[in-house]
Amino acid sequence: MKKLITAALSMLLVLGNVQPVQAAASSIYEILVLMNLLTYDSDNTISETTPISRAEFAKALYLLAGYGTTAANSYTSPFSDVSYSNQYAGYIKTVASLGYMSGYAKGYFKPDQTITTDEAIKSLLLILGYSANEIAGSDLLYQTARIKGLLDNTALNVNQPLTKGDYAQLIYNALSAALKNSNQTLAQSLGYTLRSDSLSLSDVIDVNAVGPIALTGSASASDFGLTSPTTYLNGVEKSVSMRKGDVVYYSTETNKLWVYRNYAYGTITQISANLEDVTSFTAGGNYTCSTDVIKELFTANKLRVGYPVRISLDRDGNAAYASYYEQESDTDSTSSNSNSGNNSGNPSSSTVVYVNDGYVYLTIDGKTYTFELNSAS
């Protein structure tokens, strides 16, 4: 019998050896829109040749300087051509006072004028910690910008109008650039954790999207305030019908919905000491609870030591939801992930093994076999 159990477990581990699909490379536009540094046009595209105004760039600098997404009201006009009621007045007033941008003679700012590449590069280098004297003159300005990687994948010309496409690449390069005399990037100084050398969509989702949300039933995009959103399943763009156990992230700014359907299986052997606020548990592997939903299941005693469970993993591998596996049916094993422990795997609908209360339950093709754990040989 012991050989039968071992063989069944081995079969489960083979069946469960399906890795989640990795997220596809994301566009710079998606990243910047999610960070409120760029806005899609009405047709959800970016007009790359559209010029960027000085007022729009002032807002970007305000965000890159770490002042949040909304500028304080400006109760006075910061420049003679910028009314206090102008939607950009607060941004302009702040970045001008910090020295990141300057005005013109006679107290003008020229908010609607296109910003030039020289002005934009200088402002970004100031954000990165350089002084005006260190980047004085066009030659020194562009030399420093090249060293910092600001000009990577661009064809910027000296003192030319900055278009939206070049703006996006320039801002993205600045976010991935290290601050002066530091190994920390600008993105990291804003609270982002980079998984690689450059900022990715996953890094931005961590901070700017709502989630993880564990679904306890079916749901639709409208439940999250989205209308015909772009949807992703395990990081790949795909139409998906959400169901119980899915883990969801969403962004109303980008009208995007990310659904993760990755599972692990095991029997709960240990939970954190505070039963009123369970923060972690062991079920084959060690899992951190990332949602209130799973914590409430432990508090209500619906999850406890000895229960075989299917664990819904969020995009970082934490436990967002779990359910007693005997009561669940996994019909989509191709999108699952296995974290194997002593009795874990990725069961198919016809083959299930779990241990509970000293017994081994083995189900193969609809037939269930029960063995007392201590007598199995």
Side-chain angles (χ1 to χ4, degrees), residues 167-191:
Y167 159 88
Q169 185 67 58
L170 185 61
I171 294 294
Y172 177 77
N173 290 345
L175 286 164
S176 299
L179 302 176
K180 183 190 174 186
N181 300 326
S182 173
N183 292 324
Q184 185 182 48
T185 66
L186 178 57
Q188 288 171 321
S189 74
L190 297 174

Side-chain angles (χ1 to χ4, degrees), residues 116-119 138 142 157-161:
T116 67
T117 55
D118 291 31
E119 291 172 326
S138 184
Y142 277 81
N157 295 316
V158 175
N159 207 32
Q160 294 297 307

Side-chain angles (χ1 to χ4, degrees), residues 54-106:
R54 284 171 51 83
E56 291 173 316
F57 201 80
K59 178 181 178 180
L61 291 176
Y62 183 93
L63 299 176
L64 293 173
Y67 283 89
T69 57
T70 304
N73 291 327
S74 179
Y75 296 104
T76 58
S77 299
F79 291 89
S80 58
D81 58 349
V82 180
S83 169
Y84 72 91
S85 60
N86 187 303
Q87 63 173 321
Y88 295 102
Y91 304 116
I92 292 171
K93 182 177 182 179
T94 300
V95 299
S97 67
L98 294 170
Y100 296 140
M101 291 185 74
S102 57
Y104 295 89
K106 300 181 180 179

